[in-house]
Amino acid sequence: MTLGQTMPERTPKPESLMMSHGYKPELSEGALKCPIFQTSTFVFRNAREGKAFFELAYGLRERGPSEELGLIYSRLNNPDLEILEKRLKLWDGAEECAVFESGMAATATTLLELLKPGDVLLYSEPLYGGTDYLFRHILSRFGIEAVGFPAGRGIGAAETSLAGPDLKERLAMIYVETPANPTNALVDIAGCAKLARRLSRSDRRVLVAVDNTFLGPLWQKPLEHGADLVLYSATKFIGGHSDVIAGACLGRKELLQRIRTLRTFLGTMTGPWTGWLLMRSLETLKLRMTCQMKNARYVADFLKSHRKVSRVYYLGHLKPGSPDYAIYRRQCSAPGSVVSFDVKGGEAAAFRVLDRLKLIKLAVSLGGTESLAEHPATMTHADVAKDEQLRMGITDGMIRLSIGVENPDDLIDDLRRALR
Ligand SMILES: *Cc1c(COP(=O)(O)O)cnc(C)c1O
């Protein structure tokens, strides 16, 4: 380094910024931590300022070069939400982020904004139950046609699903959940982005949206693989303590501006208290997800060697040479902490195991600090018809585990006793 040269600026990693980014202590009496702005409305300094804020809120004039939307009313904006969104978008490298009162609110608001009657929505199966219901029973009422394709069978299967008359011409969005729940089957995000570009026309850009709840935001970054939007149930890893319901959508500014506007009118934003809890959670996101990911490997290896377990569904066990392994190497940086397995003996045997677990609690949901176990066929996927369940690879003996931050030997001990 010679005199006169400046050191290149190092951009800190997201985990280094989660404690301070976007917050100015001097605006809050010097408080080190961002307070909870538990207020519905904000006082304008004068009438002219109130007018200027509303002009921007309603898009009545262009935003000045360094002008930010002033605080008006907590359905539009609130410091806890704004700072949370600034922090959350760092993990995915997104331009913009909007947080919602649930993962379902994030997905519903996003799709209602971006789809219109006559559009086709192509989606990977299986999907989270709530999302599946939204697509098939609610969006259909608005004239949006949802068409499924099986995860884990390649992009060819996705295109084959569009073989019907004019489906390709009406395609507006490809919606992907990868890894799929509960089988961990993978969908190639870059492949979907390529298909979307190929089927786009100058007046109709086909968008790719990825529900990144299972591996994100640490182990999979869909925007880097060509996705337009990333969705989260922040109830899971982002919240991480099984004590809040929340969601998020991230992507380019022009899309997020539209989504945020609909959020204002549907009122699906999260409140300041939840926003504050999520900021607290983000400080330990990497610690938690790393510990859970390591624990899951011990558990998955134990299950694989157990004589009463016929199959383990775990990304860390994918075999080189298989199509899913190639996708995994391209788009995931770690196998995460959701592990499913088949117990020999079907539902009765699976129920015996679930009823005997002590440390691992019998509950749906995932991504929290505590380990959970559930039975997809009769619980999270009970709404899926039996023949469809089998087609998706959901067996009667399958148990889904979400691994927490406990000592891995205690988790293995609990499973060993339950399987005995
Ligand atoms: C939980 C979940 C959702 C829904 O999120 P909520 O916060 O419960 O509304 C959506 N997608 C996936 C993959 C989920 O696990």
Side-chain angles (χ1 to χ4, degrees), residues 23 27-29 31-42 71 74 77-84 87 244 270-280:
Y23 171 65
L27 295 180
S28 296
E29 308 276 8
L32 172 72
K33 302 311 280 194
C34 176
I36 306 170
F37 288 86
Q38 192 72 43
T39 183
S40 59
T41 194
F42 296 86
L71 293 163
S74 288
N77 50 10
N78 175 290
D80 290 298
L81 264 62
E82 291 189 343
I83 297 166
L84 168 65
R87 291 183 188 175
V244 300
T270 191
W273 169 229
T274 298
W276 184 88
L277 277 172
L278 290 177
M279 277 197 267
R280 186 179 182 134

Side-chain angles (χ1 to χ4, degrees), residues 102-104 128 131 177 211 213-214 233 235-236 245-246 366:
S102 68
M104 285 310 302
Y128 177 73
T131 313
E177 197 178 303
D211 181 334
T213 300
F214 272 60
S233 168
T235 309
K236 313 295 164 53
I245 300 275
L366 55 107

Side-chain angles (χ1 to χ4, degrees), residues 159-332:
E159 204 167 350
T160 306
S161 304
L162 291 173
D166 80 346
L167 289 180
K168 277 185 183 149
E169 289 69 36
R170 291 189 288 128
L171 181 67
M173 182 184 281
I174 304 177
Y175 186 101
V176 170
E177 197 178 303
T178 181
N181 170 25
T183 58
N184 274 329
L186 295 180
V187 181
D188 179 355
I189 298 170
C192 287
K194 239 164 108 182
L195 177 64
R197 298 301 98 86
R198 187 149 58 74
L199 298 178
S200 292
R201 285 197 318 239
S202 57
D203 61 334
R204 185 180 48 82
R205 181 184 162 92
V206 178
L207 297 172
V208 175
V210 178
D211 181 334
N212 202 32
T213 300
F214 272 60
L215 281 186
L218 253 91
W219 315 130
Q220 181 170 270
K221 299 185 188 295
L223 299 177
E224 291 177 3
H225 302 280
D228 299 283
L229 292 161
V230 181
L231 290 149
Y232 287 105
S233 168
T235 309
K236 313 295 164 53
F237 290 97
I238 292 172
H241 296 72
S242 305
D243 54 8
V244 300
I245 300 275
C249 177
L250 301 99
R252 284 192 307 283
K253 193 170 263 172
E254 96 247 16
L255 292 175
L256 264 289
Q257 250 160 16
R258 289 176 55 189
I259 293 162
R260 187 174 280 128
T261 301
L262 188 64
R263 182 184 69 170
T264 291
F265 293 103
L266 294 182
T268 46
M269 76 301 150
T270 191
W273 169 229
T274 298
W276 184 88
L277 277 172
L278 290 177
M279 277 197 267
R280 186 179 182 134
S281 290
L282 283 183
E283 296 187 13
T284 55
L285 179 71
K286 187 173 178 189
L287 273 176
R288 287 184 281 108
M289 286 190 76
T290 303
C291 175
Q292 288 168 275
M293 180 265 290
K294 287 181 180 167
N295 280 356
R297 181 173 290 282
Y298 290 116
V299 170
D301 289 349
F302 162 75
L303 290 170
K304 197 178 170 188
S305 69
H306 200 286
R307 64 181 177 79
K308 289 192 185 159
V309 173
S310 55
R311 185 166 171 193
V312 181
Y313 305 79
Y314 173 61
L315 293 177
H317 289 166
L318 288 174
K319 290 263 181 315
S322 69
D324 267 14
Y325 181 81
I327 299 171
Y328 174 77
R329 290 303 300 263
R330 272 203 308 277
Q331 78 187 27
C332 316

